Amino acid sequence: MSSDPWGRVDETGTVYVRTADGERVVGSWQAGSPDEALAYFKRKYDGLVVEIGLLERRVRTTDLSTKDAMTAIEHLRATVDEGHAVGDLDALSKRLDALVELVEARREERKAAKAKAADEARTAKENLVAEAEQLATSEQWRNAGERLRALVDTWKSLPRLDRKTDDELWHRFSHARSVFSKRRKAHFASLDAQREEARQLKEKLVQEAEALSDSTDWGPTAARYRELMAEWKAAGRAQREAEDELWNRFRGAQDVFFAARAEVFAERDSEQRENLALKEELAIEAEKLLPVTDLKAARAAFRSINERWEAIGHVPREARPKIEARMHAVERAIQDAEEAEWRRTNPEARARAEGLTGQLQAAVDKLKQQIDAARAAGNAAKADKLAKELEGRQALLDQALKGLQEFGG
């Protein structure tokens, strides 16, 4: 008979292992000496040690799933419990027990991490929805549209939540985008309708101008052309391509008429040269109105100058483009000043600008408070994330403030 601290072989070749519960049979050996039998079953024990060690390393260093880890542990536990090895089997069982505790702890850690990620994703999506709903009322069509597209990309990068929550948030997010798209479509449809109305009106003006182009009733026809020009200016702008084509026809018809009249009045060249001198004086007078500092006074003065200009009559054909260009430059400058004044004093536009600025300022203030709270709580990751969002919101606020300055504050 041969024995060892962890097992023995009796005279019949039966091999035993010693455990805390006593001895139990692990096998039979008939092929050699008892020492060889113990050595064989010790090697089987060493193999179990290696397998458990490998499993311990996998659990600690890889992302082995809880299910796979527990399956492997139970397989090894069954092997240890069957006991076809000689060694400290109780120690191996304790190592497997400890490994179970480690796997359970890892599972709880993963569960907590998953819950935290889901909470962060929900907060991020709620913030996206809130911003989208705010943008849905914006009239900054290009900037708001680009921002909404960026929000969609951000949404796609976030993990899904539980189906009910994710669907509810997506419904709000999608609805906000739909509201903005419908409002933008309606806005540009209204602009298109206005421009189409202007095109139709100007088409009629052009047709009348072309019909008058061969008239020899110089005085009344010239007066009617002036009226047509006033109606043209009051009609508003058509689409750019149509506007340019109609203007060329309108101006061309006038040119035909006035060119014919100029030929008839060739003998009046002297008078036209005098007219040129007078118009140059008026051009100088008009140019002194620039830059416009008093819009009302400039408008009245230019109207007076323009009335005297129109009363003077024609100038030599070759001088007309240059002298008229000088007056047109003054007129455009006054029109630009009028448009700037209108934008500055438009109460509806100002109210919208102030409303948007107030909303953005509130959002920025809230984000700053959230950042301070996150930092106070030691949540640097959340604070950094909120800080990045603050940068985008601050940029929108700066842009809104810049736009508000156009209204005089």
Side-chain angles (χ1 to χ4, degrees), residues 357 361 394 396-406 409:
T357 302
Q361 183 65 62
Q394 185 67 53
L396 290 176
L397 175 59
D398 293 342
Q399 184 176 4
L401 290 172
K402 183 178 180 182
L404 191 59
Q405 290 175 355
E406 296 181 1

Side-chain angles (χ1 to χ4, degrees), residues 41 105 186 202 232 255 276 282 313:
F41 284 99
K202 288 187 172 182
W232 178 281
D255 288 345
L276 177 59
L282 290 179

Side-chain angles (χ1 to χ4, degrees), residues 1-3 8-10 15 29 32-39:
M1 184 179 71
S2 178
S3 66
R8 66 185 179 86
V9 182
D10 66 11
V15 183
W29 184 264
S33 69
D35 289 339
E36 291 174 333
L38 288 175

Side-chain angles (χ1 to χ4, degrees), residues 212-370:
L212 291 172
S213 64
D214 59 358
S215 172
T216 56
D217 195 0
W218 311 117
T221 303
R224 180 55 185 155
Y225 270 123
R226 286 193 293 272
E227 292 172 355
L228 291 176
M229 177 61 75
E231 293 176 29
W232 178 281
K233 292 179 180 179
R237 290 188 62 83
Q239 294 287 357
R240 176 174 294 180
E241 296 79 4
E243 180 77 16
D244 292 344
E245 189 268 336
L246 289 169
W247 172 252
N248 289 334
R249 289 172 58 194
F250 185 73
R251 189 65 181 174
Q254 292 185 85
D255 288 345
V256 169
F257 169 78
F258 287 113
R261 191 180 72 160
E263 291 178 4
V264 173
F265 293 167
E267 68 275 9
R268 299 180 185 178
D269 285 349
S270 176
E271 178 185 347
Q272 291 183 356
R273 284 193 294 273
E274 292 176 1
N275 290 345
L276 177 59
L278 293 174
K279 287 194 173 183
E280 285 178 340
E281 292 176 0
L282 290 179
I284 293 172
E285 183 180 347
E287 288 166 347
K288 289 180 179 179
L289 298 176
L290 304 182
V292 177
T293 56
D294 185 337
L295 178 58
K296 184 176 180 182
R299 197 160 42 209
F302 186 78
R303 187 182 303 112
S304 172
I305 294 171
N306 199 49
E307 289 173 355
R308 285 177 281 153
W309 177 283
E310 295 293 342
I312 290 173
H314 289 282
V315 299
R317 185 187 307 172
E318 66 276 6
R320 185 174 64 190
K322 182 177 180 181
I323 192 67
E324 287 186 351
R326 293 171 64 185
M327 282 293 286
H328 288 161
V330 175
E331 182 180 20
R332 283 195 299 272
I334 293 175
Q335 288 174 346
D336 290 345
E338 288 176 336
E339 292 179 2
E341 177 67 12
W342 181 86
R343 287 195 301 271
R344 189 180 69 81
T345 58
N346 182 356
E348 293 182 1
R350 181 186 182 92
R352 287 194 298 269
E354 288 176 343
L356 177 60
T357 302
Q359 292 174 353
L360 289 172
Q361 183 65 62
V364 167
D365 292 342
K366 182 178 179 181
L367 280 172
K368 289 180 178 178
Q369 294 174 0
Q370 292 175 339

